[in-house]
Amino acid sequence: MADKTYENILIEREGGITFLWLNRPDKRNAMSPGLHADMDDALTWLATDKQTKVLVLGGKGEAWCAGQDLRLYFRGTQDNPEARHKANSDSHSWRWERLTSFPKPTIAMVHGFAFGGAFTQLCACDFAIAAEDATFGLSEVNWGIIPGGLVSWNLTDMMMPRHAMYYAVTGDTFDGKRAVEIGLVNFAVPKAKLREEATKLAEKLIKLNPNVVRYTKEAIRAVRNMDDKQARDYLKSKQDSLVRNDKEIREQHGMKQFLDEKSYRPGLGPFRKVESV
Ligand code: COA
């Protein structure tokens, strides 16, 4: 199927990697109601798109995302409860529900500015790589609003609590290197290498068994809010379900390569996926 086209976003699919771009560069990719609707539709489609094995979320132009569009999302819907409800629902749906339940790995590829509401899709992605000189900011305090939607929850979930408090209350900005230190992104790289590094990570993920990757990422997210007994029980059922659903896992190809063929050691390189399975 050809790439779908949208007014506010752009999709590029190549070699299993799908780059999904916010595409309102003139407005620094501020999120309008139209952009929310486009993203919700695109992520619904891409979840089952066979060409999409890894999703990379980027931003066209000088910014990754300048947060909610203050003019169109806030002011533009303040006297229209129906439009406000639709925008709010689409906004939450794609930035949190669709991304956190996306069945394939997701990578936030952040450059330029990342502000306010953009933290939700940043935290919803499984991995995040930032340009060293990216600028992150919780500017809500300047507009007389608290980091709402899910942003405050995202901050305390992802960042060390002292840093969440500091950056949310002061609105101070920080760069990509600092974002690594406080647990918000995995790596910071020079801006010129951002796409290359995101592609490298995507290619590494594509080489792994997609069901193990999916079940692992779901498990890592799920156990955080469980106690030890619930987690143990959940992980056992999850593993049983993985074995039931995947022939390669059932046939224990990884262990055969290590124990019988002696052709693979996890400390020395990635497991060789069995293409024929
Ligand atoms: N909502 C609405 N419009 C926004 C926007 C936002 N969040 N962020 C940027 N824009 C618009 C600007 O109004 C401007 O529009 P115009 O050309 O019609 O005047 C355009 O995008 C370019 O922005 P500009 O400020 O000129 O670009 P810049 O590169 O100098 O600065 C930012 C970029 C992101 C630092 C700056 O625009 C900014 O601080 N934006 C607010 C971000 C924010 O607080 N987001 C959280 C919202 S809760």
Side-chain angles (χ1 to χ4, degrees):
M1 182 176 175
D3 288 351
K4 275 189 169 188
T5 53
Y6 293 91
E7 197 181 328
N8 302 289
I9 64 176
L10 204 66
I11 296 172
E12 279 172 39
R13 293 179 299 166
E14 202 181 293
I17 305 172
T18 293
F19 288 87
L20 177 56
W21 303 96
L22 304 193
N23 191 27
R24 300 184 72 224
D26 293 350
K27 303 295 179 192
R28 305 299 182 260
N29 296 321
M31 298 180 286
S32 60
L35 181 142
H36 288 310
D38 287 355
M39 285 296 281
D40 202 41
D41 187 80
L43 285 168
T44 308
W45 166 54
L46 292 170
T48 55
D49 170 45
K50 288 204 167 22
Q51 286 186 48
T52 300
K53 299 192 188 309
V54 174
L55 183 86
V56 179
L57 184 58
K60 286 288 177 189
E62 292 166 42
W64 190 62
C65 176
Q68 296 289 9
D69 189 309
L70 294 162
R71 186 184 303 283
L72 298 178
Y73 181 85
F74 286 117
R75 192 183 279 175
T77 63
Q78 68 190 5
D79 298 322
N80 185 339
E82 199 182 325
R84 170 63 66 95
H85 181 76
K86 164 96 170 85
N88 187 261
S89 158
D90 287 347
S91 164
H92 177 70
S93 172
W94 82 261
R95 289 183 309 139
W96 190 250
E97 302 299 340
R98 298 216 184 283
L99 275 177
T100 51
S101 63
F102 202 73
K104 295 158 270 191
T106 52
I107 303 170
M109 182 176 72
V110 184
H111 77 289
F113 300 105
F115 275 94
F119 277 62
T120 293
Q121 65 261 34
L122 172 63
C123 295
C125 285
D126 302 318
F127 307 96
I129 304 184
E132 289 171 347
D133 64 356
T135 303
F136 295 83
L138 293 155
S139 49
E140 284 89 338
V141 67
N142 301 294
W143 315 124
I145 51 181
I146 60 172
L150 266 190
V151 174
S152 292
W153 187 86
N154 296 138
L155 300 177
T156 50
D157 186 55
M158 196 59 77
M159 288 157 70
M160 296 173 204
R162 285 250 181 257
H163 298 312
M165 182 68 83
Y166 180 85
Y167 289 113
V169 171
T170 64
D172 280 6
T173 58
F174 53 95
D175 66 14
K177 290 182 183 169
R178 182 72 179 141
V180 176
E181 288 171 2
I182 61 180
L184 192 60
V185 307
N186 296 101
F187 311 108
V189 299
K191 188 175 169 199
K193 294 196 152 226
L194 189 59
R195 185 170 175 145
E196 185 185 326
E197 292 298 325
T199 302
K200 257 194 226 164
L201 174 57
E203 286 169 347
K204 180 188 289 203
L205 293 163
I206 287 173
K207 287 193 186 121
L208 298 165
N209 176 301
N211 284 324
V212 192
V213 169
R214 176 179 175 175
Y215 277 56
T216 303
K217 75 184 193 119
E218 288 172 356
I220 292 288
R221 279 188 193 280
V223 296
R224 294 195 67 187
N225 299 315
M226 294 179 192
D227 66 28
D228 56 340
K229 289 182 181 52
Q230 289 167 331
R232 214 159 164 241
D233 193 40
Y234 165 88
L235 291 169
K236 182 172 182 327
S237 306
K238 194 84 180 160
Q239 178 64 33
D240 289 348
S241 150
L242 173 58
V243 170
R244 252 195 327 279
N245 287 328
D246 190 294
K247 188 164 181 285
E248 178 181 294
I249 307 292
R250 227 175 13 257
E251 294 178 353
Q252 300 192 339
H253 285 278
M255 288 208 198
K256 275 185 197 156
Q257 285 179 20
F258 180 68
L259 296 174
D260 306 328
E261 300 168 14
K262 298 198 179 292
S263 60
Y264 149 73
R265 291 187 182 87
L268 302 182
F271 168 62
R272 285 178 290 116
K273 198 161 62 177
V274 181
E275 297 300 343
S276 59
V277 174

